[in-house]
Amino acid sequence: MNMEKKLLSVAEEGNVGELAKLLNGFGQDEIGTMITNRVMRGKADPVALVRAVLLGSPSDDSEGVQRRFHVYKHCIELLQSNEMHSKMASEMIGILLLEADAFPGSCLAELAAIYIDSIKNGTITNGKSLDLFPKIISALAAQEVIAYGGSEVTGSEYKSHLLNTLCSSRWDSQCVIHLSAMFRDITMTMDELRFVINKLLRMFKDLDMEELPPLVYQLLLLSTKGHKRLVLEGISSFFVEQDKIFMEKENKQQNSEFIEATTNSDQLRQTEGNIILHITFAIKQDQELGREFIKYLKGIQLCSPSQVLAPFNVALALSVGKIHRFEDQTFDFLKTTILKSFKDREKQQDSFWVNEMVPESCIVAELVLQTVKNSVFGWDHVTQGLVQLGFTLMDAFGPKAAFGKTEVVPSAQVTPTQEACNLGASILLDTFRAHEMVRGEILEQILNRVVTKATSPVSHYIDLLANTIKSAPQILLESLPKVRDAFDYLSFLPPKSAEGLLKAVQPLMKISMSLKDSLLLILRKAMFSRQIDSRKIAVSGFLLILQHFKVLGGLPSSQASQSFSSSQVQVDVHARYNPSSNEALCLEILGNLRRCLTQQADVRLILYEGLFGVLCRNTELSQGIVEMVLTQLKRYYEYDQDINPPLNLDPCILQQGDQVYLSEPLAHLLCCAQQCITKVSEIQKKQSETEDEEDAHENCQSDLEDMLESLTRRMIKSEMEDFELDKSADFTLGGSVGVKNNIFAILVLGVYEVLIEYNFNIGDFSSNSFQQITQLFDNHRKLSDVLKEKANAGGKKGKTTGNKTARSLLSIKLVCRMLKSLLSDNVPSHQESLGVLRQNADFTRYIISVALQKIQQITDRGSCDGVEGNETEKLFRYCCSIARVFLRQYTTDVQTPEENKKERGKHVSVMCLEGLASIVQIVCTRYSAKIADFLCALGERDGEELDMEDRIHQHVKNFQRLVMTVLSSDHDDHPVKEIVPLVHIIGSLSKHMKTDGQQFIQLHAWVNRLFTEQAVDDHSTVKVLLMTLFSMTSRIQNTVTLIRDVSQDIHSQLGDIDQEVEVEDKTHFAMVTHRTAAPCILLLVLQQMDKELDNTEWVVGRVKADLQANPEINAGETSPGPTQRENHEKSICTRLGIFITAFHELVQSAIPSGPCVEGMLKTLTKMYGALANMVKYYLTMYNQRSGHMSARFEKLVKLSGTHLTQHVYAMITYIQAAQTGHIQQTGGKKDKKKEASVVTGKARVLKESKFVPNLIFAIEQYERYLIQLSKKSKINLMEHMKLSTSRDFRINTVVLQEALEQQASSSEEENEENSDHEQENQPPPNKQAKVTDTQTSKKGKLGLQGKAKKSKVVDNAAD
């Protein structure tokens, strides 16, 4: 103890010599013991003692150096043992840092080795001792020479060796974070830094989840030195992989492991959330880091979209998108990537070859929506980005206005853009459910878009609003002011948008009296607006309220408007527990609606079409509705039974000057009346009412029934002349009289249809009612025939009347019942009465045509006109019933050729077959989830239970038999065109069969055999068969061989462009004949080639992106290895080679001018584009020095030169010669029709000639890249390429020789006559000889400098 004090006192005096003498008297262990004792006592200052020892140990003395080394070694051990408190340790490290530079290289190396050993052994428990390590490494790097391994190396080399040793050794997980912090203080080269970062990234998997955020934080700090992208890529790849592993475990877990899995899920998501926060904060401090993150995502977008859209990356991108500088590019990038992923998935599903080359890796929607699920774990920084992303997708990919129309018909096929829009809606809906903090904002933004986007479709926003309200109506009670504000703009919206908005908010009306009162006030104001659209909105709104606010006492079980939970019902005091108020409200609304009966026809039409829906859902209002309809109908009804016609049509029109308008849609009014009276009759059968109500009700009901019966009798007796409509009437739309007659005719036709439906509904299969129906139809047919005749007559004069087939007022329910009765009813008691209808073949055809009209409407827009036309479930049932009837009619109907000739128009069975094909198409697109139910309805053997695949196959086999029946029968009985709808049905059903199943393969073989063996000349049949064959082939194998074979057949049938060449008249496919080869089959082949070339270019782009990506982390997993890449190259080259052989046949075919030439030139241009892309792929490979050109590609290039390019030039010459000849042939005729054909021909030639320069440019670009690749690869790829002559003056040698000979003979005659003037104009003989010799020796470029004749010499091909 005394010696310690003495040492300290001497050190304070600064007497180094005496201090050194004192220290020489101590052994190194004694000094270490003294330092340890002072550390253990805690109160003493070991730093002073260490300072004294270091002061007395001069670095120029070997003994002093050894003492210093021992002190450093001992202090490091003390620091590692964690015996010092933090302040003492900091002071100790401070003194050691100051003195470290005095060590020689050998000692520094030994100290570094101590650290390395400690790290390897895992003895470092804290980061204090590591604070000294960077100083030792930097001191080592500063040394000029250090002895190492028996030789001498520089300090920087030794430092590199230390870092290499350190990063190559195994680290204890406890010291990883301390080491990552230490590396920040070490000066490293970029390669050393890369090595260290890779080591730290590899340690991720060895650490617990809670240890990852601090390590990521240290890595982000370390990235300020460089390799920012490497750090971000490593973090991203790790967590993407963790998500995959977790999802796989979650899918496989058992119920017993559920709690544990949930815990792991919470921990993983919270860790990811913390790390996203760290990275976002780092990007705010260093924007270069943000730019590197965007570059990283863009770099892997092409080769690995699933990596880009992984939940972690999407969440990180959304968090980064909150930074203003990165907002636009982040959301634009995500939007583009999502759309591209949907498009890529569509390609992979449509093409077997594409899916084989690049298999589907993910489902985009699931990945993005997983981000929403993950965000519930406290990811508040991501939530706002999710809202913005959802609206970005909906804004960008929502339906667009076409020709100013804001109403968009939903298409049956879901396109990638629609999928992206639907994904945006799903993101918003899930975010709305999961995060309370953004609910108000989401609702406000939806309402803002509905209100402000008056000129563009808003149906997708309204659907989202409806789903949002349905998911949580109670939650939205807090946001009612926003909904109320939106109501203020209701009357300014387009009627369809306003109606959709009102339907969407109906659940809120049920639970908020104040909102309902606000809406009622707004609708009352709108009813008196000057704008007709506002009044239409008011009527729609009132009708909706009547449907949803039910007056109790009707049919509660079946007609209840909407079900709610118990908590919602308690709020709904007004609707549920105060039925009298509901009744008063509904009666008041009916009073308001009566005012519509004096407004424009469009407003009345909405009322008439909506009243039946109100009656069905709110049966207690039936009396008021029937009274309203009856009162209105009386205005046009003639009560005197002797007066014909029974309806006064004059008040139904409004004339203002020369303009005539419809003011009363009388047919729709009558339709509403018959529907209501029929429904009331049904209701009375199901319920019993009091006597008073019955009397009051029956008065109106009986009056209306009497009126309809009277109308039936009198309309049968009425002739067209009674309505001032006959064959002599004017139906042209050029004058007011013609417009008036057209309106009257349409009204009368509608009245006939309404009465037909009424009599069928009430007739109960009586002969009398069916007789009346037949008589009504006869009148209907006479009038419709007159309209058609006038329309055709007007069309022949060049001015059509504008008459189209009027939309039938028959309901789809009635059409379905009538079809069953006419075509499949076998009930004995019905047969006599049905015979009345069945005898009238025209009536059967009429009902089928109406059914086809309804089916077409469902095909186009998913709904049809009339009652129940918007109820998807009922439409599906009707479609099933109609399809069953149609199928039965087609398979059982046998008609003789004589009967067939008597029939006007199409055969009934053919109409049924076309309708069946349309229904199958509807079910396969709009009701794909219910195909099994549909096929059951079509007919299945009793007691037979089949799975989906077998059921489809069973029906497909039935349709195959029908196709073979048509082909094998006499075409008088079954026209070959009947095959078209049958094949359409087979094709639609085949899309829902598994492509890897034996049944699909058998079906494909059958279609192929049909096309191969059956010789059919009908273009539509050949077209649909070939399209089906292409579609099915592309799903199970490569289609290019099929294209090649068909191309060879086309060449053999069309002949060669060189008439002297004879082509072998042998085909692979019997359906390829001279009549069908062009344009029918050729255009289909070119269309398919165009699609396949697009797929090829897409695959080339994907393989090229894989080549360019070169990921730093997990390279073997994310990029294809050399073998896989070579396989891809081989497959692409083989595919392009087969394309060349197909084009080799087509370009030599004598194709007719017109669309065939245009399509050929376009597809050839795309072919050369695909070849150029392949060349650019190899150029990229050589630039990156990552591979070499394959021998197969060299063969492909040779093939393109010998089999394609040369023949393409010949084809261009042939096309232009044919065009010139065509113009010359028609040019000399003076006939006006001929002159018009000449103008048309010249226009077509001009159009076709525009494609030639594009083709020449594509060829030259291909050759340009080939020259570049030749230089890179040292292989002459241009060896078999013929230089282009299509830009030059092409001279036909034979024609030129004849011209020259003729010129020479004329010169001799002129010489005999001594004509000096003509002699001067003759070219010199040697010039002629020179031209001839040049043409003989060189067939390419040739320039004539003289003034030789130019007739029959083809001029410039293309500029």
Side-chain angles (χ1 to χ4, degrees):
M1 195 67 183
N2 293 330
M3 291 303 296
E4 289 181 25
K5 290 180 179 179
K6 189 173 181 179
L7 281 172
L8 293 173
S9 62
V10 173
E12 287 176 4
E13 293 172 0
N15 192 338
V16 178
E18 186 177 351
L19 187 59
K21 290 179 182 178
L22 284 172
L23 289 171
N24 288 336
F26 291 99
Q28 293 179 354
D29 293 339
E30 291 180 64
I31 295 172
T33 304
M34 286 191 289
I35 296 172
T36 303
N37 290 336
R38 292 182 78 88
V39 170
M40 294 302 180
R41 286 201 296 271
K43 296 179 180 179
D45 183 9
V47 178
L49 179 59
V50 171
R51 187 182 293 111
V53 173
L54 294 177
L55 183 63
S57 305
S59 56
D60 54 359
D61 178 28
S62 60
E63 190 173 345
V65 169
Q66 288 298 322
R67 193 181 302 119
R68 278 174 171 264
F69 174 75
H70 184 74
V71 169
Y72 265 76
K73 182 179 176 182
H74 193 72
C75 288
I76 290 169
E77 291 173 354
L78 287 173
L79 288 168
Q80 290 178 354
S81 64
N82 207 18
E83 298 292 344
M84 298 186 194
H85 55 76
S86 57
K87 183 179 179 183
M88 183 187 296
S90 299
E91 292 176 355
M92 179 72 75
I93 288 171
I95 187 63
L96 294 177
L97 287 171
L98 289 173
E99 299 293 335
D101 289 325
F103 275 114
S106 58
C107 292
L108 290 170
E110 290 186 42
L111 288 174
I114 292 172
Y115 272 105
I116 298 293
D117 291 340
S118 300
I119 292 169
K120 287 182 178 179
N121 298 330
T123 56
I124 295 179
T125 56
N126 60 67
K128 297 285 178 58
S129 63
L130 289 174
D131 291 345
L132 182 59
F133 194 28
K135 180 64 177 177
I136 293 172
I137 290 179
S138 61
L140 272 169
Q143 299 290 320
E144 293 183 3
V145 176
I146 296 175
Y148 171 69
S151 61
E152 293 182 345
V153 295
T154 63
S156 59
E157 290 175 347
Y158 191 78
K159 182 194 76 171
S160 297
H161 161 69
L162 278 178
L163 291 174
N164 185 44
T165 305
L166 177 60
C167 294
S168 300
S169 60
R170 183 182 296 274
W171 294 355
D172 188 84
S173 58
Q174 295 180 352
C175 66
V176 174
I177 296 172
H178 304 310
L179 288 170
S180 62
M182 176 202 75
F183 282 121
R184 288 168 43 207
D185 299 325
I186 300 176
T187 305
M188 292 178 281
T189 64
M190 296 307 290
D191 288 339
E192 291 167 351
L193 179 63
R194 183 188 191 87
F195 197 61
V196 168
I197 289 174
N198 278 327
K199 173 63 177 178
L200 291 172
L201 291 172
R202 287 197 301 272
M203 291 304 298
F204 273 30
K205 61 181 181 295
D206 298 328
L207 299 181
D208 294 334
M209 282 295 166
E210 61 270 12
E211 294 176 332
L212 290 176
L215 177 56
V216 168
Y217 177 74
Q218 295 298 335
L219 269 171
L220 292 170
L221 293 175
L222 191 60
S223 70
T224 55
K225 296 185 173 189
H227 293 298
K228 293 180 173 62
R229 177 168 175 173
L230 178 61
V231 171
L232 291 170
E233 189 175 343
I235 296 170
S236 167
S237 300
F238 174 77
F239 282 103
V240 169
E241 189 62 30
Q242 289 300 306
D243 280 339
K244 287 180 183 176
I245 294 171
F246 174 76
M247 292 302 294
E248 289 173 3
K249 287 182 179 178
E250 194 176 49
N251 292 334
K252 295 177 181 177
Q253 71 180 357
Q254 302 297 326
N255 293 331
S256 58
E257 300 173 3
F258 181 75
I259 297 175
E260 181 185 352
T262 306
T263 306
N264 292 337
S265 170
D266 294 353
Q267 194 175 27
L268 176 62
R269 303 306 172 207
Q270 288 166 3
T271 301
E272 289 176 340
N274 289 337
I275 286 169
I276 291 170
L277 272 177
H278 281 318
I279 297 175
T280 308
F281 182 76
I283 289 174
K284 288 178 182 177
Q285 307 303 314
D286 181 8
Q287 293 186 347
E288 182 63 30
L289 192 66
R291 285 190 285 273
E292 286 297 327
F293 176 65
I294 300 295
K295 284 181 186 175
Y296 161 64
L297 292 182
K298 288 182 178 178
I300 62 172
Q301 181 189 27
L302 287 175
C303 62
S304 182
S306 61
Q307 183 94 351
V308 177
L309 296 176
F312 178 82
N313 281 339
V314 172
L316 179 54
L318 293 176
S319 188
V320 171
K322 287 175 62 180
I323 303 170
H324 180 69
R325 184 183 183 90
F326 299 105
E327 181 178 0
D328 291 341
Q329 57 181 325
T330 299
F331 284 99
D332 285 346
F333 171 76
L334 286 174
K335 176 181 71 177
T336 307
T337 305
I338 287 170
L339 180 61
K340 182 183 179 302
S341 299
F342 280 122
K343 287 181 176 179
D344 292 351
R345 186 160 175 258
E346 186 181 45
K347 278 187 181 294
Q348 290 166 326
Q349 289 176 339
D350 289 346
S351 173
F352 168 81
W353 180 76
V354 171
N355 197 38
E356 185 182 47
M357 297 292 286
V358 185
E360 272 190 81
S361 55
C362 65
I363 298 176
V364 182
E366 288 184 4
L367 286 177
V368 179
L369 292 176
Q370 184 63 40
T371 310
V372 184
K373 293 179 184 176
N374 295 350
S375 65
V376 299
F377 294 94
W379 294 12
D380 294 344
H381 46 285
V382 176
T383 309
Q384 197 64 44
L386 286 168
V387 175
Q388 190 171 346
L389 177 63
F391 280 112
T392 299
L393 292 174
M394 293 191 73
D395 293 342
F397 304 125
K400 299 292 184 283
F403 307 107
K405 294 182 179 179
T406 57
E407 298 178 21
V408 176
V409 177
S411 62
Q413 297 289 349
V414 181
T415 62
T417 52
Q418 288 173 322
E419 286 185 298
C421 178
N422 295 340
L423 175 59
S426 300
I427 291 171
L428 290 170
L429 184 58
D430 289 0
T431 306
F432 181 88
R433 290 169 176 165
H435 297 281
E436 185 178 355
M437 58 184 285
V438 293
R439 284 172 185 162
E441 182 186 353
I442 290 174
L443 182 64
E444 184 175 1
Q445 289 205 43
I446 294 173
L447 291 172
N448 286 346
R449 282 165 168 78
V450 171
V451 169
T452 58
K453 291 182 179 289
T455 57
S456 57
V458 292
S459 56
H460 52 308
Y461 296 114
I462 291 174
D463 292 341
L464 173 60
L465 177 64
N467 291 330
T468 303
I469 292 173
K470 283 179 186 174
S471 67
Q474 284 287 16
I475 294 172
L476 283 169
L477 285 175
E478 301 172 1
S479 304
L480 286 182
K482 294 184 175 66
V483 181
R484 201 175 289 115
D485 291 343
F487 282 166
D488 292 337
Y489 301 94
L490 192 67
S491 58
F492 302 102
L493 297 179
K496 281 291 182 184
S497 301
E499 184 181 356
L501 177 61
L502 291 174
K503 285 181 180 177
V505 299
Q506 278 303 319
L508 293 179
M509 308 272 293
K510 299 287 290 183
I511 58 177
S512 172
M513 294 169 59
S514 61
L515 185 66
K516 180 193 66 178
D517 293 339
S518 300
L519 178 61
L520 286 172
L521 183 61
I522 289 165
L523 292 177
R524 288 191 189 105
K525 290 179 181 177
M527 185 67 82
F528 296 97
S529 171
R530 293 183 179 180
Q531 302 296 325
I532 186 171
D533 281 354
S534 299
R535 298 199 294 277
K536 288 162 74 173
I537 290 168
V539 174
S540 299
F542 280 136
L543 289 171
L544 279 171
I545 292 174
L546 288 176
Q547 287 182 28
H548 289 84
F549 284 82
K550 188 175 179 329
V551 179
L552 298 185
L555 295 174
S557 61
S558 60
Q559 305 293 340
S561 58
Q562 187 159 350
S563 60
F564 288 91
S565 64
S566 58
S567 60
Q568 293 165 353
V569 170
Q570 290 172 7
V571 183
D572 191 11
V573 176
H574 182 74
R576 180 67 62 182
Y577 295 111
N578 199 352
S580 60
S581 297
N582 263 5
E583 186 173 4
L585 169 68
C586 293
L587 292 175
E588 180 189 353
I589 292 174
L590 280 178
N592 288 328
L593 289 176
R594 283 192 178 92
R595 295 172 182 168
C596 301
L597 299 176
T598 58
Q599 297 192 9
Q600 286 91 340
D602 288 346
V603 181
R604 301 187 197 186
L605 188 60
I606 293 174
L607 176 64
Y608 298 155
E609 290 180 342
L611 282 176
F612 178 71
V614 172
L615 180 59
C616 289
R617 301 190 68 173
N618 210 343
T619 55
E620 288 297 305
L621 298 176
S622 59
Q623 181 179 349
I625 291 172
V626 171
E627 285 179 2
M628 183 195 303
V629 173
L630 180 62
T631 304
Q632 184 70 2
L633 199 54
K634 285 178 179 179
R635 296 182 181 180
Y636 311 99
Y637 178 69
E638 297 285 357
Y639 276 94
D640 190 341
Q641 300 294 316
D642 298 327
I643 295 178
N644 272 342
L647 294 170
N648 184 11
L649 299 184
D650 289 331
C652 295
I653 61 169
L654 179 66
Q655 189 157 1
Q656 295 178 350
D658 294 336
Q659 300 295 319
V660 178
Y661 303 99
L662 175 69
S663 64
E664 176 64 79
L666 182 60
H668 287 82
L669 171 61
L670 196 62
C671 181
C672 175
Q674 75 88 8
Q675 288 166 353
C676 291
I677 202 67
T678 305
K679 186 66 179 177
V680 168
S681 300
E682 291 179 10
I683 293 170
Q684 287 179 347
K685 293 177 183 177
K686 295 179 181 177
Q687 63 180 7
S688 58
E689 299 176 335
T690 61
E691 291 298 325
D692 295 338
E693 287 177 344
E694 194 172 336
D695 292 342
H697 202 164
E698 279 190 355
N699 288 334
C700 293
Q701 183 181 345
S702 60
D703 287 350
L704 192 52
E705 288 173 348
D706 293 343
M707 187 180 291
L708 289 169
E709 289 173 7
S710 173
L711 278 174
T712 300
R713 292 192 306 271
R714 294 157 69 187
M715 285 297 290
I716 290 172
K717 295 177 183 177
S718 299
E719 301 291 336
M720 287 191 293
E721 289 77 7
D722 296 333
F723 296 100
E724 298 179 2
L725 301 172
D726 54 21
K727 292 185 179 180
S728 61
D730 179 17
F731 288 96
T732 59
L733 298 181
S736 58
V737 176
V739 173
K740 175 185 172 183
N741 288 337
N742 267 291
I743 293 174
F744 279 177
I746 292 171
L747 288 177
V748 173
L749 288 174
V751 170
Y752 283 135
E753 289 183 328
V754 171
L755 294 175
I756 287 171
E757 179 163 355
Y758 175 72
N759 281 277
F760 189 86
N761 286 334
I762 66 166
D764 196 21
F765 291 91
S766 67
S767 298
N768 183 39
S769 63
F770 284 178
Q771 190 68 42
Q772 290 179 327
I773 288 173
T774 306
Q775 293 170 337
L776 286 168
F777 171 71
D778 288 339
N779 291 347
H780 179 281
R781 187 186 61 192
K782 290 176 186 177
L783 181 54
S784 61
D785 286 346
V786 169
L787 282 176
K788 289 177 185 176
E789 182 182 340
K790 293 290 184 179
N792 294 333
K796 289 176 184 176
K797 294 175 185 177
K799 185 178 179 182
T800 60
T801 62
N803 277 319
K804 295 181 181 178
T805 304
R807 290 182 175 178
S808 174
L809 291 183
L810 298 180
S811 66
I812 189 169
K813 181 178 181 180
L814 176 93
V815 171
C816 184
R817 289 181 60 199
M818 274 197 169
L819 285 174
K820 284 182 179 178
S821 301
L822 289 169
L823 303 178
S824 64
D825 192 332
N826 295 323
V827 179
S829 60
H830 295 170
Q831 299 309 304
E832 182 181 352
S833 57
L834 283 173
V836 176
L837 293 180
R838 289 171 177 168
Q839 285 175 0
N840 193 332
D842 286 337
F843 180 73
T844 303
R845 294 171 59 80
Y846 163 70
I847 295 298
I848 294 175
S849 66
V850 174
L852 295 179
Q853 185 186 84
K854 301 289 184 186
I855 291 166
Q856 187 59 45
Q857 290 171 356
I858 299 172
T859 303
D860 293 339
R861 62 175 192 257
S863 61
C864 68
D865 295 332
V867 178
E868 300 177 343
N870 292 315
E871 300 182 32
T872 55
E873 289 300 319
K874 288 186 177 179
L875 284 181
F876 173 72
R877 291 200 294 271
Y878 291 139
C879 283
C880 292
S881 300
I882 294 172
R884 185 184 181 98
V885 172
F886 279 172
L887 179 60
R888 177 174 175 176
Q889 173 65 19
Y890 178 73
T891 53
T892 59
D893 183 32
V894 178
Q895 193 164 11
T896 63
E898 290 75 16
E899 291 175 338
N900 202 5
K901 289 175 184 177
K902 290 178 184 178
E903 274 197 18
R904 297 184 300 170
K906 290 183 180 177
H907 195 295
V908 168
S909 63
V910 176
M911 295 173 68
C912 292
L913 182 59
E914 290 175 354
L916 176 62
S918 298
I919 292 175
V920 172
Q921 178 68 17
I922 290 169
V923 172
C924 288
T925 52
R926 296 187 180 274
Y927 299 96
S928 56
K930 296 185 174 182
I931 290 179
D933 297 335
F934 171 73
L935 295 178
C936 283
L938 269 189
E940 196 170 284
R941 294 171 188 170
D942 295 335
E944 191 173 11
E945 293 186 4
L946 302 172
D947 62 7
M948 177 78 164
E949 192 77 8
D950 293 334
R951 185 169 286 150
I952 293 176
H953 185 60
Q954 183 189 65
H955 285 276
V956 165
K957 283 195 297 185
N958 293 335
F959 290 113
Q960 285 177 258
R961 292 190 195 101
L962 293 175
V963 170
M964 298 311 297
T965 301
V966 174
L967 287 171
S968 60
S969 63
D970 186 358
H971 293 329
D972 291 335
D973 296 335
H974 290 284
V976 74
K977 287 189 177 182
E978 289 184 18
I979 294 176
V980 175
L982 287 170
V983 175
H984 273 308
I985 294 171
I986 292 171
S988 298
L989 292 175
S990 71
K991 291 177 182 177
H992 297 273
M993 296 173 70
K994 295 177 182 176
T995 54
D996 56 352
Q998 194 63 33
Q999 296 162 336
F1000 186 87
I1001 295 171
Q1002 290 173 1
L1003 177 61
H1004 171 259
W1006 177 80
V1007 175
N1008 188 45
R1009 191 164 59 250
L1010 211 62
F1011 195 72
T1012 305
E1013 298 173 357
Q1014 298 291 334
V1016 177
D1017 281 344
D1018 180 64
H1019 282 200
S1020 58
T1021 305
V1022 172
K1023 185 176 179 180
V1024 72
L1025 268 170
L1026 184 55
M1027 288 173 65
T1028 306
L1029 181 59
F1030 276 142
S1031 173
M1032 296 184 70
T1033 305
S1034 66
R1035 293 174 62 195
I1036 60 170
Q1037 64 188 47
N1038 208 335
T1039 56
V1040 289
T1041 51
L1042 174 62
I1043 291 172
R1044 180 194 60 199
D1045 293 343
V1046 177
S1047 301
Q1048 289 173 354
D1049 291 356
I1050 291 172
H1051 187 193
S1052 70
Q1053 293 301 311
L1054 294 181
D1056 201 272
I1057 58 176
D1058 187 352
Q1059 295 179 357
E1060 297 178 1
V1061 176
E1062 291 187 8
V1063 186
E1064 185 182 2
D1065 188 12
K1066 181 181 178 182
T1067 57
H1068 300 86
F1069 303 102
M1071 283 197 187
V1072 184
T1073 63
H1074 185 71
R1075 285 187 59 197
T1076 61
C1080 176
I1081 292 178
L1082 176 59
L1083 287 177
L1084 281 178
V1085 168
L1086 291 174
Q1087 181 183 343
Q1088 187 66 25
M1089 290 177 91
D1090 206 58
K1091 182 179 177 182
E1092 296 297 333
L1093 284 170
D1094 279 338
N1095 290 341
T1096 306
E1097 290 192 36
W1098 183 85
V1099 171
V1100 171
R1102 191 66 178 265
V1103 176
K1104 185 178 178 182
D1106 285 336
L1107 180 69
Q1108 290 175 323
N1110 286 327
E1112 312 292 348
I1113 308 296
N1114 298 330
E1117 297 176 17
T1118 56
S1119 64
T1123 306
Q1124 185 181 359
R1125 190 179 69 201
E1126 287 170 5
N1127 289 337
H1128 286 170
E1129 293 170 11
K1130 178 181 176 182
S1131 179
I1132 295 169
C1133 290
T1134 303
R1135 185 179 176 84
L1136 289 173
I1138 299 174
F1139 272 128
I1140 289 174
T1141 56
F1143 273 119
H1144 175 71
E1145 301 290 339
L1146 293 178
V1147 296
Q1148 295 181 84
S1149 304
I1151 57 175
S1153 59
C1156 292
V1157 171
E1158 181 183 333
M1160 176 72 80
L1161 294 173
K1162 279 183 177 179
T1163 313
L1164 272 171
T1165 305
K1166 182 163 283 188
M1167 177 70 205
Y1168 278 102
L1171 288 170
N1173 277 340
M1174 197 62 194
V1175 179
K1176 285 192 277 188
Y1177 164 76
Y1178 280 108
L1179 279 171
T1180 303
M1181 183 184 292
Y1182 275 97
N1183 288 335
Q1184 293 186 348
R1185 299 178 180 177
S1186 55
H1188 297 281
M1189 187 171 28
S1190 65
R1192 192 175 292 266
F1193 178 71
E1194 292 181 45
K1195 293 178 182 177
L1196 175 69
V1197 173
K1198 178 181 177 181
L1199 193 67
S1200 69
T1202 57
H1203 280 62
L1204 186 59
T1205 306
Q1206 294 180 13
H1207 297 289
V1208 168
Y1209 293 145
M1211 182 196 71
I1212 293 172
T1213 305
Y1214 166 77
I1215 290 170
Q1216 293 179 335
Q1219 291 169 349
T1220 306
H1222 176 73
I1223 292 174
Q1224 288 176 351
Q1225 285 174 8
T1226 56
K1229 299 178 182 178
K1230 299 297 183 182
D1231 190 4
K1232 287 185 178 180
K1233 291 184 179 179
K1234 297 295 182 182
E1235 286 179 7
S1237 68
V1238 170
V1239 172
T1240 306
K1242 286 183 177 179
R1244 187 175 67 239
V1245 168
L1246 182 63
K1247 184 179 179 183
E1248 290 171 359
S1249 63
K1250 290 179 181 179
F1251 297 107
V1252 175
N1254 294 336
L1255 175 57
I1256 299 299
F1257 178 73
I1259 295 173
E1260 291 178 350
Q1261 285 294 100
Y1262 169 55
E1263 292 175 352
R1264 169 196 164 197
Y1265 292 124
L1266 276 180
I1267 293 169
Q1268 293 179 12
L1269 184 58
S1270 298
K1271 293 177 181 178
K1272 293 276 186 185
S1273 63
K1274 312 299 184 201
I1275 299 171
N1276 182 16
L1277 297 172
M1278 295 295 293
E1279 181 181 358
H1280 301 281
M1281 291 293 161
K1282 178 184 176 183
L1283 292 177
S1284 169
T1285 61
S1286 292
R1287 286 180 176 270
D1288 307 323
F1289 288 94
R1290 298 191 299 273
I1291 297 177
N1292 191 318
T1293 312
V1294 178
V1295 175
L1296 179 63
Q1297 189 66 37
E1298 291 177 0
L1300 291 173
E1301 289 175 359
Q1302 183 181 356
Q1303 196 174 18
S1305 63
S1306 65
S1307 297
E1308 291 175 3
E1309 292 175 3
E1310 288 165 358
N1311 284 334
E1312 290 175 2
E1313 296 173 2
N1314 297 318
S1315 179
D1316 295 336
H1317 179 68
E1318 292 295 330
Q1319 183 67 30
E1320 288 176 3
N1321 287 333
Q1322 290 292 335
N1326 59 348
K1327 177 70 73 175
Q1328 294 175 9
K1330 184 178 178 181
V1331 171
T1332 307
D1333 294 339
T1334 306
Q1335 176 63 28
T1336 305
S1337 61
K1338 182 180 178 182
K1339 297 182 180 179
K1341 298 181 180 180
L1342 183 70
L1344 287 180
Q1345 298 178 359
K1347 295 185 178 179
K1349 233 175 177 183
K1350 294 183 180 179
S1351 65
K1352 295 186 181 179
V1353 178
V1354 182
D1355 254 61
N1356 205 352
D1359 187 12

